[in-house]
Amino acid sequence: MTSPADNPTPSLSAGEEQLAQASTGLVDTETYIDLELVALCRESAADGTVLLRNDGTLPLRGGSRIALFGRVQIDYFSVGYGSGGDVNAPYSWNLLDALRDGGQVTVDADLAASYTRWCAENPPDEGTWGNWPRYFEEMPLEGEAVRAAATRTDVAIVVLGRAAGEARENTLTQGSYYLTDAEKSLLDAVTSAFTHTVVVLDCGNVIDLAWLDQYGEAISSVLYAWQGGMEGARAIADVLTGVQVPGGRLTDTIARSYADYPSAPNFGGLEHNDYAEDIYVGYRYFETFAPDAVLFPFGFGLGYSRLDVVATAHVNDEEVTVTARVSNVGTEHPGAEVVQVYVQAPDGELGKPARTLASFAKSRRLDPGESESLHLAFPIASLASYDDSGATGHRSAYVLEAGQYTVFAGTDVRAATQIASFTLSELRVVEQLTEACAPAAAHPFQRMILDRDDAGRAVVGWQDVPTREVSRRERLQARTVPALEQTGSQAVTLADVAEGAATLDEFVAQLSHEDLEALTRGDVVMDSPLGTPGNAGVFGGITASLRAKGVPPITTTDGPSGIRLAAYAALLPCGAALASTWNTPLVRRLAAHHGEEMVRKGTHVLLSPGMNIHRDPLCGRNFEYFSEDPLVTGLIAAAVVAGVQEAGVAACPKHFACNNQETNRNLNDSRVSERALREIYLRGFQICLAQARPHTLMTSYNKINGAWSHYNDELCTTILREEWGFEGTVITDWWMQRAVDPDFPAVADDAYRVRAQVDVFMPGGWFDHVSGGFDASAASSLLDSLARPDGITLGEVQRTARTVLQLVLALPALSKEILRNSAAGSQP
């Protein structure tokens, strides 16, 4: 992690000079920084900061003298590790420098000098891939030094940090989920010496906070900073000093202990995990069965002023509309509020959570005395539950059960109060579907259900999970994909298609088997020479034959915290920070500038947003993801996708689906009921696709009920394409597992994948874990199967080729390149 001393942040005048040079084409786009993107990074990092506790110590008064404790004030965690965070950022602020630079407070110089000297002499070990540090050792500090600092200053700020990263989990150990002995000693010493102690949590994931009760009022304020990217520390300095308000609200429940989380008994398994908690994930579980186990409820967050919310609701046969008046009734500070609407559905035959988030909206920043009216609406059909057992008489259908539905509104799931209710006199079938991705009878398990005791209180019950009844083999045999008659070369180029001089079918019909196969995979390696240096991989025009026909290479880059290239790129706030804003317009503006940066840096597909559900707080990549709730996940992801795609490039939501742990992620089986899969783990993707129409989508590494996602035709065809109408390109996560289709032995590996309509194998070659090299023989499985009468069909392969080419034509950045190269008479 670098600081401004390593790569100085541009001053405003320098930035204005850059902008002037950019307009004349004189600036190097590899190092150019969009100052509006910088400002949006800073604003969104502040807006996602969650104030959990405050006795009035924050915001710090102008001119306050502060003592800054904890080595993370200098060795600041700007983001997590792995493909989602390893961005070549031009700079990254730490909190010590940010507070000094802000000029609002005076930082104790003696204490800062001690930390600066010690950190320089003891640089942190940032580890290697999959062996990232979870924390950095604290500087030893004598009690006398703490007491001396207390005589010179007014307020202590203790900065505690935790890293997270791809390919490994957080653990139930000190320095990961729990505080270290050194951190406890530091808190003991500081709270004993200071009247006012502020704790800043520089963490990408939720950690144990049970220790807050131990300190009680001795800790004045607690700020969950998340990890705000290159501008994150400056954003926290803004919030601490009142330049900005803490606008964040929790997108996860924080429980009193790890054992209280319903996933705890079934997380981290090497071979499989039974999603036994079923639909009762996060607040759905806690508000229904264990409200006393909650330390901070879902949706919670404080501001610096008191904002009142008065809400009313109107209900008709199809829709609920809510009007909420938000008023800043404080006298000193501005503030913003998130209005959250929840619904309690009747238990019925299926059982329902006590509350489910139905809609939300965030007010603008309101000065004291100001008010704003927010209008929220949601269809009653969105409250339907999926019947995977036939208990309602409608198996494989979304249904609204008869009974009373109660509507609540407020500022978090616990504080929301009743504003309306309505009754459905009879069951409604909202959507009749077909069974898909149901658990196999060979792997039975039980799931949590809602039961009631004699007093009517909700208690946990258990039932066997319904298993699959539909024959996959018969389903696939019923599908036919017509083939185009192959014409051989007709001299049709993709530019002809782009200009309307030929149809896409005419172009596809002339492609050889080898051309078709090449369109179904990437260029074998990461950092392909066909793309911008540092790329994640390239697909599309990966052969000379395809490029001669006008098909350009499509460059992909890792995300979501920035563009992972050899060139400098902005380091954005992590996913957890962005989601905590609950501010979809702000996230979309940030993403739009991110998309413009993609265009400048020469990349076409951003592997972002990461949108897997926070099933368990120990998941190593939760910092990349958004929430335990699918509605928050889906709407924040839609804002990211819509913003990125405004620039004419593609976003690629990931990982589809149930990638909820990193442990043995390539082989692990997520065993989950069809109801929980649809209502929790797929719903966010469905919302994102419906609202933002991403051009691409990435599958996950893991199995879902025994079938790897990258071979899962019921996931990627039945649900994704037939039910949801997705027309974009599906790509694999990087590398996949070799396998033979259990129902069609002549279909294996790439043929197996293409039949499932997983269009592109990335990066395109098999990785040899022994040699560390790549095997480019991926082509053989598809071509071998295509040559067999019982193998994959020509129509299926042409369908995938058409889908990839449609992506090329749909992206303005690529279609302009096609036409430009055609006009120049050169090959791309």
Side-chain angles (χ1 to χ4, degrees):
M1 305 287 176
T2 60
S3 71
D6 302 305
N7 289 298
T9 184
S11 66
L12 185 60
S13 58
E16 290 172 338
E17 183 178 348
Q18 279 189 339
L19 292 172
Q21 290 177 337
S23 66
T24 60
L26 297 177
V27 73
D28 178 2
T29 58
E30 289 192 355
T31 57
Y32 167 72
I33 302 169
D34 177 355
L35 289 189
E36 190 167 351
L37 176 57
V38 169
L40 285 165
C41 285
R42 187 171 178 175
E43 180 184 356
S44 56
D47 202 38
T49 301
V50 182
L51 184 63
L52 295 177
R53 176 187 291 184
N54 193 29
D55 65 359
T57 298
L58 293 181
L60 300 169
R61 276 41 176 186
S64 293
R65 301 170 302 162
I66 64 168
L68 207 52
F69 293 92
R71 76 167 300 165
V72 178
Q73 63 176 286
I74 294 171
D75 296 319
Y76 201 76
F77 291 111
S78 297
V79 74
Y81 293 91
S83 61
D86 291 348
V87 176
N88 189 16
Y91 63 88
S92 184
W93 283 86
N94 66 42
L95 189 55
L96 173 60
D97 289 339
L99 283 167
R100 284 171 161 171
D101 183 75
Q104 302 291 315
V105 295
T106 301
V107 180
D108 186 74
D110 290 349
L111 189 60
S114 295
Y115 273 104
T116 300
R117 182 171 56 254
W118 187 88
C119 289
E121 294 170 352
N122 299 272
D125 179 2
E126 300 208 35
T128 57
W129 185 271
N131 294 289
W132 325 114
R134 294 186 170 94
Y135 75 107
F136 297 149
E137 291 284 352
E138 273 299 334
M139 181 183 84
L141 194 62
E142 297 294 331
E144 181 56 39
V146 177
R147 290 188 290 273
T151 66
R152 301 190 299 266
T153 57
D154 308 310
V155 179
I157 299 178
V158 180
V159 189
L160 302 176
R162 287 293 182 274
E166 184 175 1
R168 68 107 169 91
E169 316 294 2
N170 290 346
T171 56
L172 294 174
T173 57
Q174 292 189 355
S176 185
Y177 190 66
Y178 298 113
L179 295 186
T180 65
D181 288 339
E183 290 168 335
K184 294 175 187 176
S185 296
L186 178 61
L187 284 172
D188 289 343
V190 172
T191 55
S192 295
F194 283 81
T195 304
H196 302 288
T197 299
V198 176
V199 175
V200 174
L201 298 168
D202 171 23
C203 309
N205 293 30
V206 167
I207 64 170
D208 173 65
L209 295 182
W211 47 272
L212 286 175
D213 284 345
Q214 170 190 337
Y215 289 99
E217 294 181 358
I219 293 180
S220 305
S221 307
V222 180
L223 200 64
Y224 223 113
W226 306 113
Q227 289 165 345
M230 64 189 190
E231 287 287 318
R234 285 219 291 176
I236 299 308
D238 288 344
V239 171
L240 289 169
T241 57
V243 175
Q244 292 282 1
V245 297
R249 303 294 181 264
L250 291 176
T251 62
D252 292 322
T253 305
I254 299 181
R256 295 191 178 277
S257 73
Y258 175 75
D260 291 324
Y261 289 97
S263 59
N266 294 285
F267 178 81
L270 284 177
E271 294 184 359
H272 74 276
N273 290 294
D274 294 336
Y275 285 40
E277 70 281 359
D278 207 56
I279 63 167
Y280 296 100
V281 176
Y283 74 87
R284 286 169 166 80
Y285 167 80
F286 289 108
E287 298 307 310
T288 305
F289 300 116
D292 292 341
V294 174
L295 192 61
F296 296 104
F298 177 84
F300 177 80
L302 302 172
Y304 290 152
S305 187
R306 186 164 72 86
L307 279 79
D308 283 352
V309 176
V310 178
T312 59
H314 173 72
V315 183
N316 61 33
D317 286 344
E318 302 297 329
E319 188 176 60
V320 177
T321 57
V322 174
T323 299
R325 184 75 171 171
V326 181
S327 302
N328 187 342
V329 297
T331 58
E332 292 187 68
H333 305 293
E337 191 56 87
V338 179
V339 176
Q340 303 162 39
V341 179
Y342 298 86
V343 173
Q344 181 176 26
D347 291 353
E349 296 294 330
L350 301 179
K352 316 293 191 311
R355 295 189 179 185
T356 299
L357 184 67
S359 185
F360 65 85
K362 189 167 191 174
S363 74
R364 61 180 173 84
R365 177 166 159 156
L366 301 172
D367 288 326
E370 281 193 308
S371 299
E372 181 184 13
S373 290
L374 302 176
H375 302 280
L376 305 83
F378 57 92
I380 292 175
S382 68
L383 307 176
S385 300
Y386 187 79
D387 184 356
D388 59 2
S389 67
T392 68
H394 300 276
R395 185 174 177 128
S396 302
Y398 277 102
V399 298
L400 289 164
E401 295 198 73
Q404 180 173 292
Y405 291 73
T406 307
V407 182
F408 303 84
T411 55
D412 64 62
V413 68
R414 188 67 56 85
T417 58
Q418 181 176 339
I419 59 170
S421 66
F422 61 94
T423 300
L424 297 183
S425 58
E426 59 183 10
L427 179 143
R428 293 184 191 175
V429 177
V430 171
E431 189 175 18
Q432 180 63 60
L433 301 170
T434 59
E435 177 192 292
C437 300
H443 301 295
F445 65 98
Q446 288 200 315
R447 66 177 171 187
M448 187 181 293
I449 60 169
L450 173 65
D451 205 348
R452 299 277 178 184
D453 64 15
D454 292 341
R457 292 182 294 251
V459 294
V460 171
W462 296 93
Q463 71 174 194
D464 293 337
V465 170
T467 55
R468 69 175 301 121
E469 296 183 348
V470 171
S471 166
R472 172 181 175 272
R473 179 180 178 83
E474 292 177 3
R475 172 176 277 166
L476 285 173
Q477 286 176 324
R479 290 196 184 117
T480 58
V481 182
L484 298 170
E485 182 179 352
Q486 290 183 290
T487 60
S489 177
Q490 301 296 306
V492 176
T493 68
L494 200 59
D496 295 329
V497 178
E499 293 173 323
T503 67
L504 185 56
D505 279 355
E506 288 173 329
F507 181 85
V508 171
Q510 68 181 348
L511 298 180
S512 67
H513 287 182
E514 289 72 22
D515 283 340
L516 291 169
E517 183 280 325
L519 285 169
T520 73
R521 61 175 171 87
D523 188 37
V524 182
V525 297
M526 297 182 69
D527 196 14
S528 165
L530 296 174
T532 305
N535 65 78
V538 166
F539 67 101
I542 65 170
T543 66
S545 174
L546 287 170
R547 292 194 295 276
K549 295 177 176 66
V551 182
I554 304 170
T555 299
T556 69
T557 40
D558 278 325
S561 295
I563 306 168
R564 190 181 174 213
L565 289 170
Y568 284 130
L571 180 61
L572 276 58
C574 71
L578 292 179
S580 295
T581 68
W582 297 64
N583 191 337
T584 53
L586 175 61
V587 172
R588 180 166 179 163
R589 290 200 303 275
L590 173 69
H593 281 269
H594 195 199
E596 291 171 2
E597 185 179 41
M598 288 176 62
V599 174
R600 289 195 300 273
K601 300 296 168 72
T603 183
H604 310 114
V605 177
L606 181 69
L607 307 178
S608 167
M611 50 185 304
N612 293 105
I613 292 294
H614 290 176
R615 175 179 178 249
D616 189 279
L618 297 184
C619 176
R621 294 183 82 171
N622 277 357
F623 75 95
E624 295 184 49
Y625 306 148
F626 297 135
S627 176
E628 68 188 27
D629 180 75
L631 180 65
V632 172
T633 296
L635 293 179
I636 296 294
V640 172
V641 171
V644 166
Q645 294 191 167
E646 284 181 19
V649 289
C652 184
K654 62 184 185 183
H655 308 87
F656 191 63
C658 294
N659 186 170
N660 305 112
Q661 76 170 38
E662 291 298 285
T663 302
N664 205 29
R665 60 184 180 172
N666 298 82
L667 301 175
N668 204 277
D669 188 6
S670 298
R671 296 177 183 170
V672 56
S673 78
E674 198 183 353
R675 180 184 181 188
L677 181 67
R678 288 180 178 273
E679 290 189 24
I680 304 295
Y681 300 100
L682 297 186
R683 187 172 179 234
F685 286 98
Q686 185 177 12
I687 291 168
C688 177
L689 267 58
Q691 293 220 349
R693 299 178 66 83
H695 292 297
T696 59
L697 182 73
M698 182 195 290
T699 58
S700 58
Y701 284 126
N702 54 280
K703 299 176 183 178
I704 299 174
N705 293 323
W708 274 291
S709 294
H710 47 258
Y711 295 132
N712 200 319
D713 55 274
E714 292 188 344
L715 178 71
C716 297
T717 295
T718 304
I719 294 176
L720 179 64
R721 297 185 189 274
E722 293 177 355
E723 292 182 8
W724 298 354
F726 181 69
E727 296 179 345
T729 300
V730 179
I731 67 175
T732 70
D733 204 338
W734 266 226
W735 304 287
M736 63 183 192
Q737 303 301 308
R738 283 183 152 151
V740 176
D741 188 323
D743 293 310
F744 302 92
V747 178
D749 299 340
D750 278 287
Y752 188 6
R753 169 184 59 80
V754 168
R755 173 161 286 177
Q757 293 196 78
V758 176
D759 303 297
V760 181
F761 171 30
M762 291 298 293
W766 301 97
F767 181 65
D768 187 329
H769 291 274
V770 177
S771 69
F774 297 91
D775 175 3
S777 66
S780 62
S781 63
L782 185 63
L783 295 177
D784 289 350
S785 183
L786 187 57
R788 297 180 58 168
D790 53 350
I792 195 162
T793 67
L794 176 62
E796 289 173 306
V797 182
Q798 288 175 330
R799 176 182 62 189
T800 281
R802 186 186 297 109
T803 300
V804 174
L805 294 169
Q806 285 171 335
L807 172 65
V808 175
L809 295 168
L811 299 182
L814 283 170
S815 57
K816 289 177 183 176
E817 182 178 338
I818 296 168
L819 297 175
R820 184 169 57 249
N821 287 323
S822 175
S826 64
Q827 297 176 8

